[in-house]
Amino acid sequence: MQELINRAKELLADGTVARVLGWKAGDLPYNPEPAYFEKEEDFADFVYNGFCGANLSKYMIEASKLEGKTLVCLKPCDTYSFQELMKEHRVDREKAYIIGVGCKGKLDIEKIKAMGIKGIKSISGAEIEDEAETLTINTIYGEKTCSYADAMLERCHVCKGKDHMIFDEVIGESKETKDADRFAEVEKIEAMSPEEKFAFFQKELSKCIRCNACRNVCPACSCRKCVFDSNKFDSAQKANVDSFEEKMFHIIRAFHVAGRCTDCGECSRVCPQGIPLHLFNRKFIKDINELYGEYQAGADLEPRTPLTNYEFEDVEPGIVAERG
Amino acid sequence: MYKIAKENLTALFQKIAAEQELYLPVKTAGQVNFGVWTEDAEVDLDTLKSVKSPKDVFFPQSETLYTCIRDGKKIKIEPEALKEQNFVVFGMKACDVKGVEVLDRVFLVDPLDTFYAARRDHGTIVALACHEPEETCFCKVFGVDAADPSAADVATWLIGDELYWKALTEKGEALTEAVKDLLTEDGAAEETVEKEKEAIRGIVEQLPYTNLSLDGWNGDVLMEKFEDPLWDELYKPCLACGTCTFVCPTCQCYDIKDYDAGKNGVQRYRCWDSCMYSDFTMMAHGNNRKSQKERFRQRFMHKLVYYPANNDGMYSCVGCGRCVEKCPASLNIVKVIKAFQKQGGEQ
Amino acid sequence: MSIEKNEEFRPKIVAFCCNWCSYAGADLAGSSRMSYSADVKIIRVPCSCRVNPMFILRAFERGADGVIMCGCHPGDCHYTSGNFYARRRMTLLFSMLDYIGVENGRTRVEWVSAAEGAKFSQTMHEFVDKIAALGKNVRLEDLRCRN
Amino acid sequence: MKTEKNRAELIKEISGVNPLKCMKCGKCSASCPSYNEMDIKPHQFVSYVINEDIESLVNSKSLWKCLSCFACVERCPRDVKPGKLIDAARQIVVRERGNTYLDPDEIPELIDPDTPQQLLVSAFRRYRR
Amino acid sequence: MQRIGVFVCHCGSNIAATVDVKKVAEMALHEPGVVHAEDYAYMCSEAGQELIHKAIKEKHLTGLVVCSCSPRMHETTFRNAAERAGLNPYMVEIANIREHCSWIHKDVEEATEKAVILMRAAVAKVNLNAPLKPGESRVTKRALVIGGGIAGIQTALDIAEAGYPVDIVEKTPSIGGRMSQLDKTFPTLDCSSCILTPKMGEVNAHPLINIYTYSEVESVSGFVGDFTVEIRKKARSVDMDKCTGCGLCQEKCPSKKTPSEFNRGLSTRSAIYTPFAQAVPNVPVIDRDACIKFKTGKCGICSKVCQAGAIDYDQIDQIVTEKYGAIVVATGFDMIKLDKYDEYAYSQSKDVITSLELERIMNAAGPTGGHLERLSDGKAPKEIVFIQCVGSRCSDDRGKSYCSKVCCMYTAKHAMLIRDKYPDTNVTVFYIDVRTPGKNFDEFYRRAVEDYGVNYIKGQVGKVIPQPDGKLLVQGADLIDNKQILKEADMVVLAAAIEPNPDVRKIATMLTASIDTNNFLTEAHAKLRPVESPTAGIFLSGVCQGPKDIPETVSQAGAAAVKAIGLLAKDKLLTNPCTAHSDELMCNGCSQCANVCPYGAITYEDKEVNDHGIRETRRIAVVNDALCQGCGACTVTCPSGAMDLQGFSNRQILAEVDAICR
């Protein structure tokens, strides 16, 4: 982290960049927030640890409008989002100085809390330099431990890899965290009966409070005005009055990013109700891979995505019924 | 004071639910929220905070106000019926009960919100003390005693294998009467509960936010705070989602919308709104808060300045800490208060 | 509507037809007097690629029991490539509907040329039968619209 | 006894051939190495099936003169493939001789436990198409 | 709020017998916005249109719904009627209660119920209609003809004769096409080049025709009336202006081993060459792959011998950009490859040839100087077998499903010519059917049989087996005599199927003109618009649209020319107003819509916007109305709904959905 800070200060000092977009330490051990650093003294609060899960590429939409370059810290998975946004002309490559930061998997405080750990005073083992496989959590109810891997976000277990797709320089080591099959959860649902599937999603989606966190955090959901906020389709909704609206929102949300979603997992990370929203996006990704060939959004800058492309021999929609 | 063995709680819930609707913390797909009790509901009294505050029991996320039905070339208006049945909310925490008080000062003053008032009239609150407060809690800052939910109709404590039960109001007495055959009188109860209260208060003292100072927020500080350049920085990570407002026990803003249900007419309904949304209070000419900074500022100014100015200095934050836990960008009211403090310190 | 039939289940079916092939195919079915169920109501769109998934969900929301989309045969699109895009969109949408537990078969895509009046009629027969067998759409409707 | 119509249908089903596609070009007969031995020529097979005269076919010499070299199958420009029709007619003879082919449900009782499974599978492939 | 009039047509008894039209009209009055409803026997009649006119005037209608036959039938009629009464024509919607209702249902109650719903959907839509105005686009008065064969030549001449400039783009070094390779033409047996060469000269000399030979279309943009085409003029290495066409360079060129394309590889040509003697222009090109100078840097003989100094080794490809109002495709055909027909031994024996090769052999300017001889040993063949339908009428993937149409006639021609010139040579034709529809065609075929003694055998050949002695053993069937035939032949001629020029796919893609599964260009209507592509401004001439003989090609070429002239004669075109538009306050500028637009109609601009008081410069999609054809692909790709389609807007379609599901 110190290397990152030093380099950032250097680039700030020599005028290469006008500001640095990174993370600022929070007032609890686990809540750093995305922040801009413009002056040397601001860096006192700069932090990059296991809780810096936020994907900063979306902030680059606004940062691209500012004067001068913004140094942005992007984790390997964030760089996919950045490229996708570049493709869509939503961020300006010229306005970004990308430092690819290393990643050893990001932590999910909800997972730690789900282990019954509460009253957290401090957490050690989450620093990026730490080699520790275990987190030690000091709480007002005593000291607790848990393995780093168990506290990791779901997305890190199915990591796309620790290579940065785009960067000006890379600082920090990464460690492979993939230890699960990306589509296993989707396959599990696919294997269910229609009734089970319906019950599963009905239950999960019934928790949705339409806070729009999933949408607003999503780098692919970068519309100036979302279709769910406008009268273009008479579809503006602020609440799920009927359970239909839960399905409508989440199907369309996922559909609109289908072929563009990099599977960064931010939607599931931020959902206050813990809805596994990635299951929607990943279903589309799995279908695209199976039906139209392996595709990873954000891995390149080819303008056409699977949904803005076609082959004469594409499968017919009837395949869905045939697969059954 | 009464008590009931933990193992008999299901019987208690059955008994209550036989007569009226019962809302309590229910776990669905891994998350605890207040919901209607049913035989197969997974009741969870151990999780300290429901994701959403229980305010939706009185102020639902959406509710139909009236329906317009076209009848030839005429239009018939059918108002939605007000709540007429009694119901019980079991397991609200002291902060949430205080949150209801905040809502009351909005909805129960002139002009009276009849939908809300009807629910308040028919609802009985059975509160539960917080036995294991967490690091995100700061209710004490706003004068809430996590150990003693005294503003409820019934206060309860879960100590060991017993639930201790104390009726505090007439409604509370009535409910107690209705379930009396499941409760047992316990002379020693007061003492047990007092001991627990002290223990809870002891924990509260250790919480990191407990001694958060509100200095600088009271008094005539509106313009000073409104114009403070600090807002220019604070809002930046905000994603403009509505998480903080929707989990909050005191946020009371709503929007009114129409839904065309075809043959069933056009339903006019209200639903929670969030000042974080870009179309919040959008009018025909546009929006009077054009930037996210202004919208972000609105939320905290409302909680800490505008509301107290109109309500005898009562803040419209109860320190439940839900926003601290749930904000996707890790922003929250505590960080705002602290930022101003820090700045104050430097000045 | 005053003309009410109470007894058996009458499905509501929305058919999106592209102007150039399928709508003309439906016209041909008409001029050839090839009957199909009156439960099918056709909406004319310029091309199958004009059909937004939101239209389909909207139909279900409002109580439709089945939605079928017809377009030119792949390769015959009046706009050269519209139906190719539509094909991918619908494939993914249908797969998603299947995934969340909506009964398979409530949605369908069929390519019907302007010359295939018989195919149009036959397709509608099959589809209506399928929907009748599936019964009322309860998994994707908005209860506020139920009548 | 099956009607001629049924038998013609069966031939079409077994062979997967639509004889109506034939444009009577005669390339099959031109290609056939056993042509001179045959009483009903390969190209005529097609019209026999179309005309549902299966009795003549199953009694013909040709049926057993065909070498199954599949030259006609390879070269037929219309996907009619008389060789397959002949093969199907032979199967009809075989089946009719043994009344009918096996019903899958009867098989378990009939199988000798030592019979290799592959044999069963290939038997099915041949006789249950 | 609209003031809508609903008009229910009886269509005599076509509708009224199954739909209670009175009831539909009565129910219409309950719909929002409807202020007038009536029914009438024939809405499309003069009297019916008068009713509409009157109602618009009297009731101040702002929108119309006509419940009648298919909009494909009378939408234009009713739109025109509305316009005459002062109403915007796009304020009219049709509820199709005939084809989609009365004609397919029997039960009156059921049909009426459906008709009411269809009417409601139309009313719901009209409530959201907005007046639309067609745009105008100018017409560039110049035509492009792609392909310089007889089809292209004829089209170009006809257009030029009408007074419009025409450019011909021809891929090879000379115009002339397939016809220039033919020896004689049926059914008159006149010499092909004798009738073609004057036309080539005429084209060359015409002041309004400009020929780009050795050139290809590189890109096409724009739309009907205003195409912009880039033409690649391949480096000829010879200066067209200086060359006198003396031919000395070709004579002296030391590299003479390249197979001649014109002679179908049966002879060779020099590296610097004109394809044939009568080439237009008579200017050679250097085949750089064969030229020693280009391969080794040494030689340069042609440059030395050229007195005009026309040789220019430094020439490079040039891109010419031109504007056209109309484009005619005349890309013609080629023979299919016969590598999948091994049974006919085409690749094994030099004496198995295609008919086009025979055409060259028979030609006085051909590889054998017009002597019929075996290519293997130069001996005169005594026994020739013709095999018909090689690769035509096939339903497998070896050949083509269609009939190539010209083979029966040219085979009769070949048979007759051979029998005439070499009476001691036997000619046998194996055929499946002999197809001779055409003026004097069957007579021609009968002459071959009756007067020239050509032996026609009904039956196909199964196999051609080359024998050690050089003979070819032909194994065929005689279906009439019901016997197998084994015949020894000296030469076998295959009537190979013809297929569209393989380049047509690329060209069709550039033009966004549709092609069928056989790569033939699709006509806008098989019967009524046979020489137009569905893509406006693109016309079809010759075999690119389907197999044709010369007289048919020439007449189609003329027809295509007339259609092009009809377009060029206009000064302005009205454009379809049902186009897409982006809401600039919502557009993200993400470019996804441009990715799916088949017409390249969407571009992006940095535009200053005022979004409810926020002023900023944004990248915004802009639709070119003249290019947009209104398919709507962009509207669904756009996630925010910023892109919408006039006339079929999101809200209009949703209103229809709602009305139907109500």
Side-chain angles (χ1 to χ4, degrees), chain B residues 259-261 263-264 267 269, chain C residues 61-62 142 144-147:
Chain B
Y259 179 79
D260 181 356
K263 261 187 214 169
N264 298 342
Q267 298 180 355
Y269 67 97
Chain C
E61 169 189 5
R62 301 290 157 132
D142 192 312
R144 290 172 289 181
C145 299
R146 184 181 271 190
N147 34 53

Side-chain angles (χ1 to χ4, degrees), chain E residues 521-561:
Chain E
L521 283 149
T522 316
E523 57 277 14
H525 189 285
K527 282 162 280 185
L528 304 177
R529 297 172 67 195
V531 300
E532 296 160 76
S533 160
T535 305
I538 310 292
F539 304 98
L540 315 176
S541 176
V543 184
C544 67
Q545 179 262 342
K548 279 178 199 66
D549 58 22
I550 295 166
E552 261 189 293
T553 294
V554 171
S555 42
Q556 201 205 16

Side-chain angles (χ1 to χ4, degrees), chain B residues 69-224:
Chain B
I69 297 171
R70 209 158 48 82
D71 179 13
K73 297 256 154 177
K74 289 196 209 84
I75 288 173
K76 207 166 68 196
I77 295 179
E78 288 178 355
E80 198 71 14
L82 299 178
K83 185 88 180 171
E84 281 173 350
Q85 300 81 33
N86 288 336
F87 64 93
V88 171
V89 201
F90 182 93
M92 275 174 84
K93 299 295 174 353
C95 52
D96 293 336
V97 178
K98 173 94 171 186
V100 174
E101 202 183 317
V102 171
L103 298 184
D104 284 351
R105 283 171 173 261
V106 177
F107 292 128
L108 296 185
V109 294
D110 192 44
L112 186 76
D113 188 302
T114 51
F115 289 90
Y116 180 84
R119 287 203 179 81
R120 282 292 279 133
D121 284 348
H122 291 284
T124 304
I125 298 175
V126 180
L128 179 63
C130 303
H131 298 279
E132 287 191 328
E134 295 175 6
E135 74 280 9
T136 50
C137 298
F138 52 105
C139 53
K140 187 174 175 238
V141 177
F142 295 100
V144 176
D145 184 357
D148 190 7
S150 55
D153 295 311
V154 176
T156 64
W157 291 263
L158 250 181
I159 307 167
D161 291 331
E162 304 284 345
L163 178 89
Y164 293 85
W165 176 288
K166 186 179 180 186
L168 302 168
T169 64
E170 267 179 43
K171 272 192 202 168
E173 295 289 356
L175 179 65
T176 308
E177 202 58 40
V179 298
K180 206 159 190 176
D181 49 345
L182 289 170
L183 305 174
T184 45
E185 287 249 29
D186 182 359
E190 291 286 353
E191 200 182 323
T192 315
V193 169
E194 277 312 313
K195 239 170 78 191
E196 177 68 12
K197 282 185 192 171
E198 283 318 306
I200 294 172
R201 286 169 189 146
I203 297 168
V204 168
E205 284 309 315
Q206 297 177 47
L207 298 176
Y209 292 158
T210 287
N211 296 313
L212 187 68
S213 161
L214 289 172
D215 287 350
W217 290 98
N218 24 31
D220 185 16
V221 294
L222 194 149
M223 288 320 286
E224 174 204 322

Side-chain angles (χ1 to χ4, degrees), chain B residues 286-331:
Chain B
N287 201 325
N288 48 9
R289 292 180 205 95
K290 293 191 186 79
S291 66
Q292 195 57 27
K293 171 193 142 185
E294 291 164 288
R295 295 189 279 267
F296 182 86
R297 177 176 63 192
Q298 165 67 20
R299 179 161 200 269
F300 298 103
M301 287 295 284
H302 185 228
K303 297 255 183 262
L304 300 171
V305 180
Y306 310 150
Y307 187 95
N310 294 325
N311 290 284
D312 318 315
M314 180 175 169
Y315 293 105
S316 65
C317 174
V318 293
C320 73
R322 286 186 176 89
C323 53
V324 179
E325 284 187 6
K326 295 298 182 185
C327 175
S330 299
L331 297 179

Side-chain angles (χ1 to χ4, degrees), chain E residues 421-438:
Chain E
K421 217 168 159 188
Y422 310 96
D424 57 342
T425 299
N426 285 324
V427 176
T428 308
V429 179
F430 283 91
Y431 71 96
I432 305 173
D433 301 288
V434 177
R435 297 180 169 181
T436 55

Side-chain angles (χ1 to χ4, degrees), chain E residues 1 31 41 122 255 317 339 342 356 388 415 438 444 462 548 635 654:
Chain E
M1 191 69 182
E31 291 301 302
S255 165
D317 288 8
D339 45 5
D342 241 13
L356 192 53
Q388 300 299 90
F444 183 78
K548 279 178 199 66
T635 60
L654 288 172

Side-chain angles (χ1 to χ4, degrees), chain E residues 385-401:
Chain E
V385 166
F386 285 84
I387 304 176
Q388 300 299 90
C389 296
V390 177
S392 296
R393 307 168 68 192
C394 276
S395 53
D396 56 22
D397 59 357
R398 299 204 296 168
K400 304 291 177 183
S401 59

